[in-house]
């Protein structure tokens, strides 16, 4: 490595691997929790008409006021709460971390959990503390969590509700205990809100430190990169100071407003994905040696026979199906693959390929 890099770049960044996005060309893409459905032809045409009115020579609305008003109405965000937009919820995680990071300060989350929390803690120079979930069913180990919070005094706690990559939803009463014990901010990451009936959004304001973060990505608009954070205005006013100017571009603002006005199309797709999730779970449960975990998301985590995850992952790929191989990536994920719920025919191809590979 060149002397320049060795001297200049922080060692923890040097030892990091870049975020890997595998090439999915020609494959059925069941690796990234995308909605597999497109819009009806008429709706696409209407959307393109809306885009024609956009002026690319001008900066976007700096605060995205119309989009925020549309989101508030569409998602039922309580009027008294603040609302902040991010270029994907990943950007919101980064803004939150940068706002609280000071030497020696900690971010706490769960293992296995969403990898960006740990990554962004490192970017921001925070210490990351991961508290293990219970090995049997990935539920919360409340005593361990409460003890870790008391010991580590995290400035910020992230809990994905439901969790990625395990797919389960944590017990709501346990989550309340965590909110009440958190010495700093607590963010409930509801990226999978469209695929579950539970949410803490209506409870915003009950605690001064609770924030709820969501994204349009899993709902069917991953290409737009739009996340949102709701919570007490007093907190969000501070976080907003870290937002880079014009972080939500004009095409995203116009497209998201358009999409939310036709939300019934996205909701109908979500319902189809939920129905397919049940079928996929049942079919996977019937395969010898495969253990699917219950899911409140648009993916299913499955454990395959010991030592065979890599081989099955490659075999699926040769059959034209890309899933996520999580084997050994985090605590408790030995022998685990994660499959996104696709269209029925895609799921059938996946199931047939997995069965024959087994
Ligand atoms: C996918 C995902 C996100 C990231 O969403 P973007 O808005 O696409 O950045 C955040 N949190 C969890 C738990 C996710 O699974």
């Amino acid at each position: 490595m060149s002397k320049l890099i060795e001297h200049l770049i922080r060692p923890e960044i040097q030892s990091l691997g870049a975020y890997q996005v595998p090439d999915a060309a020609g494959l059925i893409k069941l690796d990234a929790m995308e909605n597999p459905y497109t819009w009806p032809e008429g709706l696409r045409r209407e959307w393109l008409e809306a885009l024609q009115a956009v002026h690319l020579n001008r900066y976007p609305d700096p605060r995205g006021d119309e989009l925020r008003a549309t989101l508030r109405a569409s998602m039922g965000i309580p009027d008294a709460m603040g609302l902040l937009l991010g270029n994907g919820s990943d950007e919101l995680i980064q803004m939150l971390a940068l706002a609280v990071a000071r030497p020696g300060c900690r971010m706490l989350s769960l293992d296995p959990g969403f990898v960006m929390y740990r990554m962004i803690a490192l970017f921001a120079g925070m210490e990351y503390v991961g508290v293990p979930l219970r090995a049997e069913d990935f539920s919360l180990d409340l005593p361990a969590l409460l003890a870790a919070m008391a010991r580590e005094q995290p400035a910020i706690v992230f809990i994905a509700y439901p969790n990625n990559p395990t797919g389960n939803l944590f017990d709501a009463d346990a989550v309340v205990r965590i909110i009440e014990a958190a010495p700093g901010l607590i963010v409930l990451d509801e990226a999978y809100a469209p695929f579950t009936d539970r949410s803490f959004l209506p409870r915003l304001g009950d605690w001064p430190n609770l924030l709820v973060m969501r994204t349009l990505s899993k709902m069917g608009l991953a290409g737009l990169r739009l996340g949102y954070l709701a919570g007490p205005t007093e907190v969000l006013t501070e976080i907003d100071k870290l937002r880079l100017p014009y972080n939500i571009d004009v095409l995203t603002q116009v497209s998201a407003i358009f999409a939310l006005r036709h939300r019934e199309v996205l909701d109908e797709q979500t319902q189809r994905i939920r129905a397919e999730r049940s079928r996929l779970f049942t079919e996977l449960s019937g395969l010898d040696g495969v253990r699917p975990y219950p899911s409140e998301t648009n993916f299913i985590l499955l454990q395959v026979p010991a030592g065979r995850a890599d081989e099955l992952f490659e075999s699926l790929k040769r059959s034209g199906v890309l899933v996520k191989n999580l084997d050994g990536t985090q605590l408790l994920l030995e022998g685990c693959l994660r499959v996104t719920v696709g269209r029925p025919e895609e799921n059938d191809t996946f199931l047939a390929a997995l069965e024959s590979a087994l």
Side-chain angles (χ1 to χ4, degrees):
M1 192 181 304
S2 87
K3 276 267 177 291
L4 179 71
I5 288 176
E6 212 173 302
H7 282 114
L8 204 60
I9 306 295
R10 288 149 55 195
E12 67 270 27
I13 304 294
Q14 286 186 46
S15 54
L16 210 62
Y19 188 79
Q20 293 289 341
V21 179
D23 183 13
L27 299 174
I28 295 176
K29 203 169 176 315
L30 302 181
D31 66 325
M33 283 80 95
E34 292 150 329
N35 173 334
Y37 298 107
T38 53
W39 292 353
E41 190 49 41
L43 197 63
R44 288 180 70 87
R45 219 173 304 120
E46 240 185 280
W47 166 57
L48 290 173
E49 273 163 32
L51 287 183
Q52 288 207 19
V54 170
H55 296 292
L56 291 180
N57 56 320
R58 302 289 179 196
Y59 280 110
D61 175 345
R63 290 165 44 82
D65 283 336
E66 190 185 352
L67 173 52
R68 289 190 308 133
T70 310
L71 267 173
R72 276 186 182 281
S74 184
M75 303 298 172
I77 295 164
D79 284 341
M81 292 295 113
L83 179 63
L84 191 57
L85 305 181
N87 194 323
S89 41
D90 291 341
E91 190 190 35
L92 293 166
I93 302 168
Q94 189 173 53
M95 283 155 60
L96 287 159
L98 290 174
V100 299
R102 54 176 105 197
C105 115
R106 297 184 181 90
M107 175 192 289
L108 184 143
S109 191
L110 306 163
D111 279 347
F114 184 50
V115 290
M116 288 314 291
Y117 307 145
R118 178 191 294 271
M119 299 269 282
I120 289 171
L122 184 138
F123 300 165
M126 300 179 79
E127 259 178 67
Y128 176 84
V129 179
V131 179
L133 296 172
R134 289 188 194 279
E136 318 85 80
D137 56 0
F138 300 119
S139 62
L140 290 175
D141 184 346
L142 191 58
L145 200 45
L146 294 174
M149 286 203 296
R151 187 178 63 241
E152 309 284 351
Q153 293 292 307
I156 190 161
V157 175
F158 280 95
I159 294 192
Y161 184 84
N163 194 36
N164 173 14
T166 57
N168 58 315
L169 188 74
F170 300 124
D171 177 69
D173 293 332
V175 172
V176 167
R177 295 279 305 279
I178 298 162
I179 297 169
E180 289 178 343
L185 292 176
I186 166 136
V187 184
L188 296 183
D189 180 349
E190 297 190 341
Y192 297 96
F195 307 100
T196 180
D197 298 326
R198 308 294 288 265
S199 171
F200 272 83
L201 200 64
R203 302 196 65 180
L204 276 176
D206 288 1
W207 301 275
N209 57 342
L210 175 67
L211 303 171
V212 170
M213 185 172 72
R214 287 188 177 179
T215 174
L216 298 192
S217 296
K218 313 289 156 61
M219 199 176 156
L221 300 167
L224 286 186
R225 310 300 302 127
L226 186 71
Y228 57 101
L229 182 69
T233 41
E234 189 183 60
V235 179
L236 293 193
T237 304
E238 296 304 313
I239 309 298
D240 188 44
K241 296 174 187 172
L242 288 115
R243 196 169 53 83
L244 294 178
Y246 312 113
N247 63 331
I248 311 299
D249 70 73
V250 275
L251 298 177
T252 297
Q253 292 195 28
V254 169
S255 301
I257 290 166
F258 177 84
L260 290 172
R261 287 192 180 137
H262 297 277
R263 202 174 138 193
E264 69 286 352
V265 174
L266 296 174
D267 289 346
E268 187 269 329
Q269 295 177 343
T270 301
Q271 288 313 316
R272 271 195 274 171
I273 294 166
R274 282 188 179 210
E276 265 302 287
R277 173 180 71 195
S278 309
R279 182 181 76 95
L280 188 57
F281 183 85
T282 307
E283 303 265 352
L284 283 168
S285 306
L287 293 181
D288 249 358
V290 173
R291 178 185 177 194
Y293 289 90
S295 168
E296 297 267 319
T297 64
N298 63 343
F299 63 84
I300 294 176
L301 182 76
L302 50 139
Q303 191 147 37
V304 297
R308 294 196 61 193
D310 289 352
E311 164 216 332
L312 290 171
F313 171 79
E314 291 300 334
S315 170
L316 285 168
K317 213 166 144 184
R318 281 195 302 278
S319 307
V321 181
L322 183 66
V323 298
K324 180 86 174 174
N325 182 5
L326 293 168
D327 182 50
T329 55
Q330 289 187 62
L331 205 67
L332 310 178
L333 294 182
E334 288 78 27
C336 284
L337 302 177
R338 185 189 65 194
V339 61
T340 304
V341 180
R343 285 184 268 121
E345 62 276 20
E346 295 176 321
N347 301 331
D348 285 339
T349 305
F350 160 71
L351 284 164
L354 182 60
E355 188 167 13
S356 88
L358 281 164

